[in-house]
Amino acid sequence: MTQLWNFGGGIHPPENKSQSSSRPIRPAGLPARLILPLQQHIGEPARCIVEPGQKVLKGEVIAQVGNGMGVPVHAPTSGIVQRISLEPVPHPSGMSDTCVVLIPDGEERWCELVPQPEYRKLERDKVLALIRQAGIVGLGGAGFPTNIKLRPSVDRKVDTLILNGAECEPYITADDMTMREKADQVMAGLRIMAWLLRPSRVVIGIEENKPEAIAALRQAAEGSKTEIAVIPTIYPSGGEKQLIQILTGQEVPSGGIPADIGVMCQNIGTAVAVADAILQGKPLISRVMTATGEALAEPGNFEVLVGTPASHLLTCAGVSKQHMSRLVLGGPMMGYTLQNTDTPLIKTSNCVIAASASELPAPAPEQPCIRCGLCAEACPMELLPQQLFWHAKATEFEKAEHLNLFDCIECGACSYVCPSSIPLVQYYRFAKGEIRLQRAEQQKSDRARVRFEARQQRLDREQQEKDQRRKDRALAAVKAQEQKTADAQATVQDGAVTNERSGKSALVEQALARKKAKAAAASAERTEPATQLSKKAAPSETFTPEHAEKIAVAETAPSMEELEQQLTQVQIKLEKMQSMLEDARSGQAPNVDKLERAVDKNIERVRRAQRAIDDAQQQAVPANGNAEPALSRSND
C-alpha cells in the first residue's frame, strides 16, 4: 500500500457530485456557431492565420504561435469562418478578446491525421513537437503548455510522475467520469508521458469518494508498475502542491515548482488528450465538461467542442431559465460568475453550474474581521490569511508579498470558513494583480532607463571624440607654428638675415623661388622669352623678394579659359540662389533675408569674375600690339 502523508488545513464542503455522475458522458453536439479565443492558456496568444469566408476542416490549424510559450488553435469542426472580432471570453472581469467565429457546416470533414502508434521509435523532441502541434495544455488548472512542462531542464530530473485524479472541488465530476469510461486512454496517455520523462515512480492519486473510477483504473493498470493511490476526501487535496505532499511527503518550496523537488503532476484530461494526439493524430478540439445545478433538468457530463457557447451546453442539459439565479464557470470554490451565457467554453473550462437562488445564494454583507483565526486553520498553504487581508486592503503590497502572498492557491477555503463573510480571495487576487502591474511598470521603466543611459553614453562618447579631434587639430597647428618659428630662427642663426622677421621673409622668398623654378620647368618655352625681355628691359636691376613675388603671381595667374569657367560657375550659382529666393518669398519662408544676402554676394562675385575677364583681355591687347614693332625692329 502506498504511504500517505497529510497537509495542514483543508475543509469538507458538501460534495454535490451525485447529480452529475449518475449519467454517462454524452456528446453535446454541434452548436450554431463556435467562438474560438486566440488565447486559451498561459503564454503567448496565437496568431490568426485564416480570413473571414474561408472554409476550414475539422482539426485544421486556424491560429498559430511563434517560438514563444504557446500552442496553436484548431477548428473543432468543418465550416466557414464568419468573422474575426472581439467577443466575450471566460474571465472574472467579463472582458472581451480577439476570437475566430466559426459557422459549422455539419459535414464533420476531418483534415489529414497522422497517428504515431510507434512513437517509441521517434525521438523525444519529435513527440514533444507533436504534443505542441496538437494544441495540448493542462486541462486541470491555468492551462500551461504541456510540451514545455514535459521538457524539464537538465538540472531538474523528474523522479515521480503523478496523475491527478483527485477532483476535490464540489459539483465537478468530469475527471471522475473520464476515469470510469476512458481508463484505457488515461493509461495510454500516462505511458506516453512516462516514456518522455523516464521517472522511477508513476502514481495516480484518486480521492476515496470515487470507487468506480478507482476500480476502472486498477483494471487498466494491471501488469504495469503504476500505483493507484486512494487518498482521503478533503478539499483541496486536488491542488497540485497538496497532492504532491500527500503522495511524497515533500513540500514544494515557496516560489518554486514541483520540478524543483523532482516531481511532476499532470491532469486526467491532459493524459487523454496526449493519447489522442499521439496514437490517433487528433488535436485538442474537445473535452469532457460537467453541467450541473438545480436549474438543469438533466445534469451530467458532456463531450463539448472547444468554443461552444455556454448557452448551448445548458440547453443540452435542459436548463430552466426561470429557476437559474447564477451561472458559474468552474466549481463553487474557485469558479466565477458568467455575465453572458454566450461566453465560449475553452480548453481549461471543466464545469458550468446553473444554480438556483437557494443553491448558491448571494453572499452575506462583509463584516469586520473578528480575529477568530479560522482562516489560518483552514489554509492548506499554512499562510496567514488575516494579515494578508489587512495588507491587501491597506494596499501594503510589499508587506503582503513578504508574507508569501503568491503562495496562495486561491482555493477559497479561508473565505468559506470566515464568519464575517469577508471575500478574502478577492482581496488576494486584487493584491496579486496590482503587484504584477507594478512589476510590469518597473520593468518598462528599467528598460527606458537602460535606453536613456545607453543614449547618454553614446552622446558623451561622440562629444569626447569631437573634443579630442579639436584638441588634435589645435596641437597640430601649434606644432606647425613652432616649426615655422624654429625654421626662421635657424635662418637667423645661419647669418643669412639679421632678425626673425627677416628670417620669415627669407623663407617666403625661398618658397617663391621654388615655385618659380617649378613653373619654369613646366613651361620652359613661355618662361624663356619672358626672362630675356625682363633682362633687356632692366639688365642692372637688383632681384628682390618683391620681384620674386610679382613674377610668381604673374606666372600663376589664371588663363582666360579658367576665368570664363569661373564666371559660368558663379552665374549658375546666382541663378540657383535667385530661384530659391523666389520660392522662399512665395512660401513666406523665414529665411528670406538670408537668401537675399546670399544673392547679393553672388551678384558681386559675378561682377568680380567679369571684371577679371575684362582686365585679362585689356592686358592681352597691348602685349600683342608691342610684340610686332619689337620683332620688326629686331629684324631691321
Side-chain angles (χ1 to χ4, degrees):
M1 180 179 293
T2 303
Q3 182 181 358
L4 302 178
W5 287 262
N6 294 324
F7 64 89
I11 57 177
H12 293 84
E15 295 181 6
N16 289 316
K17 292 177 178 287
S18 59
Q19 297 95 316
S20 58
S21 61
S22 58
R23 296 180 177 87
I25 299 175
R26 291 170 283 172
L30 284 176
R33 61 173 184 162
L34 293 165
I35 304 171
L36 302 163
L38 297 183
Q39 185 168 21
Q40 302 183 31
H41 50 77
I42 290 178
E44 177 186 355
R47 176 179 54 84
C48 185
I49 59 174
V50 295
E51 299 178 352
Q54 181 176 339
K55 294 182 179 180
V56 295
L57 300 175
K58 186 173 183 178
E60 181 180 343
V61 176
I62 61 173
Q64 190 59 272
V65 292
N67 296 325
M69 186 176 70
V71 295
V73 179
H74 301 77
T77 185
S78 59
I80 299 176
V81 177
Q82 184 185 42
R83 64 177 181 272
I84 302 167
S85 59
L86 292 176
E87 304 289 340
V89 295
H91 194 273
S93 66
M95 63 179 288
S96 298
D97 201 358
T98 305
C99 301
V100 177
V101 180
L102 179 65
I103 304 300
D105 58 12
E107 297 180 4
E108 292 287 295
R109 290 178 298 163
W110 276 94
C111 65
E112 183 181 0
L113 302 180
V114 184
Q116 297 289 346
E118 302 294 332
Y119 64 90
R120 296 176 185 271
K121 297 180 180 180
L122 303 176
E123 295 183 357
R124 283 175 173 75
D125 289 343
K126 175 63 176 178
V127 176
L128 290 171
L130 293 175
I131 292 174
R132 179 179 185 269
Q133 293 169 9
I136 300 176
V137 297
L139 301 187
F144 195 86
T146 303
N147 67 294
I148 297 179
K149 196 171 183 180
L150 290 174
R151 193 200 300 266
S153 58
V154 178
D155 58 337
R156 291 173 173 172
K157 175 66 172 67
V158 175
D159 296 320
T160 303
L161 173 61
I162 297 175
L163 199 60
N164 187 349
E167 199 172 42
C168 60
E169 184 151 2
Y171 284 90
I172 307 176
T173 59
D175 288 347
D176 183 8
M177 297 305 298
T178 299
M179 289 185 287
R180 294 189 199 183
E181 300 185 15
K182 301 182 179 182
D184 292 336
Q185 289 176 262
V186 172
M187 292 302 302
L190 180 59
R191 283 191 292 269
I192 295 172
M193 291 188 287
W195 177 78
L196 288 169
L197 296 171
R198 298 295 176 89
S200 57
R201 182 190 180 197
V202 179
V203 57
I204 304 176
I206 312 176
E207 279 190 329
E208 59 188 2
N209 62 352
K210 303 175 179 61
E212 294 89 347
I214 295 171
L217 283 180
R218 280 178 174 169
Q219 182 179 357
E222 285 183 0
S224 67
K225 297 182 180 180
T226 302
E227 303 175 33
I228 307 298
V230 181
I231 64 176
T233 300
I234 183 173
Y235 180 84
S237 61
E240 183 179 58
K241 296 180 179 180
Q242 285 67 44
L243 184 60
I244 291 173
Q245 189 171 353
I246 291 173
L247 296 177
T248 67
Q250 296 178 282
E251 292 188 32
V252 178
S254 177
I257 60 175
D260 295 335
I261 57 174
V263 181
M264 180 171 294
C265 196
Q266 295 286 352
N267 179 260
I268 292 293
T270 307
V272 174
V274 169
D276 289 343
I278 302 302
L279 302 180
Q280 301 183 41
K282 294 181 179 180
L284 178 57
I285 58 174
S286 67
R287 64 160 297 163
V288 178
M289 299 184 191
T290 301
T292 185
E294 292 183 354
L296 299 181
E298 298 179 355
N301 288 276
F302 297 82
E303 188 75 33
V304 183
L305 295 178
V306 174
T308 298
S311 57
H312 176 80
L313 180 59
L314 296 176
T315 302
C316 294
V319 64
S320 174
K321 295 182 180 180
Q322 294 78 8
H323 294 86
M324 187 173 68
S325 174
R326 291 176 61 191
L327 180 62
V328 178
L329 181 63
M333 302 299 295
M334 300 183 68
Y336 50 88
T337 302
L338 288 181
Q339 304 297 333
N340 190 340
T341 57
D342 288 333
T343 300
L345 303 174
I346 59 176
K347 297 177 182 180
T348 55
S349 304
N350 59 357
C351 181
V352 173
I353 304 175
S356 63
S358 60
E359 186 177 17
L360 293 178
E366 179 181 340
Q367 301 294 327
C369 175
I370 62 174
R371 298 175 175 82
C372 62
L374 292 178
C375 55
E377 295 178 3
C379 180
M381 296 301 298
E382 299 181 350
L383 301 176
L384 298 174
Q386 184 180 355
Q387 283 80 354
L388 290 174
F389 160 65
W390 289 336
H391 293 319
K393 191 172 183 178
T395 65
E396 297 174 344
F397 301 129
E398 291 184 2
K399 295 181 179 180
E401 191 173 4
H402 181 70
L403 292 175
N404 299 323
L405 170 66
F406 282 91
D407 284 346
C408 172
I409 62 175
E410 303 178 14
C411 64
C414 54
S415 300
Y416 182 81
V417 300
C418 180
S420 297
S421 302
I422 301 175
L424 296 171
V425 175
Q426 294 186 21
Y427 283 101
Y428 305 153
R429 287 174 178 169
F430 161 72
K432 288 180 181 179
E434 289 298 315
I435 292 173
R436 292 189 183 101
L437 181 61
Q438 290 178 4
R439 287 178 179 175
E441 293 295 330
Q442 183 63 40
Q443 291 176 356
K444 187 185 299 183
S445 175
D446 292 342
R447 289 194 295 269
R449 177 177 54 80
V450 170
R451 291 196 301 268
F452 172 78
E453 291 177 352
R455 178 179 180 273
Q456 196 64 34
Q457 291 176 359
R458 177 176 57 81
L459 293 178
D460 293 343
R461 185 173 62 255
E462 292 176 353
Q463 185 63 37
Q464 291 174 1
E465 293 174 354
K466 187 184 296 183
D467 293 342
Q468 186 62 39
R469 289 194 297 270
R470 187 181 298 112
K471 290 179 181 179
D472 293 342
R473 290 195 298 270
L475 182 61
V478 170
K479 289 182 178 180
Q481 185 63 32
E482 291 177 351
Q483 184 64 36
K484 291 181 180 179
T485 303
D487 293 343
Q489 292 175 353
T491 305
V492 172
Q493 292 175 359
D494 291 342
V497 294
T498 58
N499 54 45
E500 184 175 348
R501 184 173 181 181
S502 300
K504 292 182 179 179
S505 299
L507 293 176
V508 172
E509 293 175 5
Q510 294 174 7
L512 291 174
R514 289 194 300 270
K515 190 171 184 180
K516 176 184 176 185
K518 185 177 180 180
S523 54
E525 295 180 357
R526 184 179 61 183
T527 305
E528 184 175 357
T531 305
Q532 294 175 357
L533 290 175
S534 62
K535 289 181 179 179
K536 292 180 180 180
S540 61
E541 187 176 359
T542 304
F543 184 78
T544 65
E546 288 78 5
H547 292 155
E549 181 177 0
K550 291 179 180 179
I551 295 172
V553 170
E555 292 178 350
T556 58
S559 64
M560 184 64 68
E561 294 181 358
E562 293 175 344
L563 292 174
E564 291 176 351
Q565 185 177 2
Q566 292 177 1
L567 175 61
T568 303
Q569 290 177 352
V570 295
Q571 286 176 341
I572 293 174
K573 189 171 183 180
L574 174 61
E575 293 176 358
K576 182 178 179 181
M577 298 304 297
Q578 289 176 339
S579 176
M580 292 173 63
L581 176 60
E582 292 177 0
D583 293 341
R585 286 174 176 172
S586 61
Q588 297 182 353
N591 59 344
V592 173
D593 296 338
K594 186 176 180 180
L595 291 173
E596 288 178 348
R597 292 192 296 271
V599 169
D600 294 339
K601 290 181 180 180
N602 281 278
I603 292 175
E604 182 61 28
R605 290 172 182 167
V606 171
R607 291 174 180 172
R608 289 200 300 268
Q610 187 62 51
R611 283 198 300 271
I613 293 175
D614 295 341
D615 294 342
Q617 291 176 349
Q618 292 176 1
Q619 293 176 4
V621 171
N624 294 334
N626 294 330
E628 293 182 359
L631 292 173
S632 60
R633 285 194 298 271
S634 62
N635 292 332
D636 294 340

